[in-house]
């Protein structure tokens, strides 16, 4: 399994937002929506070997984590608006333990700390970082877990929490990219190497 | 200069569409909108060395070509809805020769044939094709012009028109991707090689 974790530092944790305003009103939820697109979409298929964790840290009910499971997803279209509607649906659920909102989409009250703790047992954490090893030469571990941030960097505390797990660090090139573009590049590299084995 | 050409086979050529319906009502304009995002956006910057040609072939006024110039672009945000509003603005203009609608965005009545003819004089055409040379080992020519299609393949006629220019052919890997993902991968490879020189 290939896993991506993306932190939405101010992404809304309520379903009470307008589909016309997923950038401002929903705390840059648009960034996370685009990460859904780049995690799962192939030309005429969905990547069934991917799981995506969106960690929402905005008001009013933070933290919440939305988990998308490629092998179970339905009703997912590539445009931002329809994907935002699925996420809104998830955020409208009352959550105690993790629950399923629509096929392949789950919502819980997990925090970033909870997600790291959970996934460190499932695979090897990988930090995308300009000082890391070049992805072109990187030998992917089994069950890689890529940790990314939205349009803001990880806070010092978040970075410290991640470094405790001694993650691998990889670089995607000489320039800094949007999170969804990072996921596209990582998926392409996995197609060339990891997924061929 | 790095240029991308994307054909929108049924993308609307009228500004009379709703921002809430850029997928259906606007003939999968959403595909082209995402190509704008992946052509230009860096983490906190715009790629100034890129020019993007969107060739719209849908009703009612086909053909139209929207040209976006990285070094001149303003008011461009990464979300689909606000980008669609800029394109709608361009499509509302009455066009005889090419005109400027907002900073960095131009609209004309150019056809796919016109665009190929024009750009073949500006640089080397490159066809993204699964049978092409692997992009990782590809030696990019000066002023590359990458030709892509929306969610539909090039028609036979469109492919023939392109092949007359004896384009280079490159492959991005073993799987077929969405057009915007292709552009992200190409831009990343250009960052690693071509743009470093």
């Amino acid at each position: 399994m290939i896993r991506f974790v993306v932190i939405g530092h101010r992404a809304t944790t309520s379903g009470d937002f307008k589909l016309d305003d997923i950038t401002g009103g929903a705390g840059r939820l648009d960034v996370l929506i685009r990460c859904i697109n780049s995690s799962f979409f192939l030309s005429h298929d969905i990547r069934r070997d991917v799981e995506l964790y969106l960690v929402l840290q905005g008001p009013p009910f933070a933290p919440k984590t939305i988990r998308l499971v490629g092998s179970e997803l339905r009703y997912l279209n590539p445009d931002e608006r329809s994907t935002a509607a699925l996420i809104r649906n998830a955020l409208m659920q009352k959550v105690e333990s993790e629950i399923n909102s629509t096929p392949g989409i789950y919502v819980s009250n997990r925090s970033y700390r909870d997600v790291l703790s959970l996934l460190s047992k499932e695979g090897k954490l990988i930090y995308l970082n300009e000082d890391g090893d070049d992805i072109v030469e990187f030998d992917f571990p089994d069950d890689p877990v890529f940790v990314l941030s939205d349009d803001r960097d990880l806070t010092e505390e978040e970075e410290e929490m991640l470094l405790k797990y001694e993650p691998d660090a990889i670089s995607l090139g000489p320039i800094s990219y949007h999170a969804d573009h990072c996921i596209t590049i990582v998926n392409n590299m996995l197609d060339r190497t990891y997924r061929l084995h």
Side-chain angles (χ1 to χ4, degrees), chain A residues 18-22 33 77-86:
Chain A
K18 290 185 178 154
L19 295 180
D20 292 351
D21 187 25
I22 58 170
I33 299 289
N77 288 303
D79 68 293
E80 290 176 9
R81 186 182 174 88
S82 69
T83 304
L86 292 174

Side-chain angles (χ1 to χ4, degrees), chain A residues 26-196:
Chain A
R28 295 310 307 273
L29 192 64
D30 64 310
V31 177
L32 304 184
I33 299 289
R34 284 192 291 281
C35 290
I36 296 175
N37 176 304
S38 59
S39 293
F40 293 108
F41 278 103
L42 287 170
S43 191
H44 296 284
D45 206 356
I46 293 278
R47 292 185 184 275
R48 291 164 215 288
D49 61 354
V50 170
E51 208 176 68
L52 171 64
Y53 290 72
L54 302 176
V55 183
L56 313 181
Q57 299 187 336
F61 303 124
K64 282 196 180 180
T65 290
I66 295 178
R67 180 168 69 95
L68 297 100
V69 181
S71 60
E72 301 174 17
L73 278 172
R74 283 195 211 167
Y75 318 126
L76 187 68
N77 288 303
D79 68 293
E80 290 176 9
R81 186 182 174 88
S82 69
T83 304
L86 292 174
I87 298 305
R88 188 171 66 169
N89 195 311
L91 290 175
M92 281 174 174
Q93 312 297 318
K94 282 211 174 174
V95 175
E96 289 183 15
S97 58
E98 186 183 70
I99 62 163
N100 183 218
S101 60
T102 47
I105 304 186
Y106 297 81
V107 56
S108 71
N109 291 322
R110 285 190 187 117
S111 66
Y112 170 68
R113 183 189 298 273
D114 298 335
V115 169
L116 287 193
S117 166
L118 179 76
L119 295 184
S120 66
K121 294 165 197 149
E122 301 289 332
K124 177 72 179 168
L125 299 186
I126 301 178
Y127 185 17
L128 297 188
N129 188 302
E130 281 152 69
D131 300 327
D133 297 332
D134 188 343
I135 189 174
V136 168
E137 286 153 23
F138 184 68
D139 193 14
F140 290 100
D142 287 342
D143 300 313
V145 180
F146 300 91
V147 180
L148 300 94
S149 193
D150 58 5
D151 55 316
R152 296 189 177 173
D153 289 339
L154 291 184
T155 64
E156 264 184 50
E157 195 188 345
E158 287 164 351
E159 190 177 38
E160 263 175 37
M161 243 187 269
L162 174 56
L163 293 177
K164 276 191 192 154
Y165 292 100
E166 299 182 353
D168 289 339
I170 61 171
S171 157
L172 304 188
I175 302 184
S176 182
Y177 302 116
H178 281 201
D180 61 316
H181 297 171
C182 292
I183 292 174
T184 298
I185 296 164
V186 168
N187 259 329
N188 175 248
M189 283 297 158
L190 290 166
D191 289 338
R192 299 175 158 277
T193 54
Y194 182 90
R195 288 189 174 101
L196 293 179

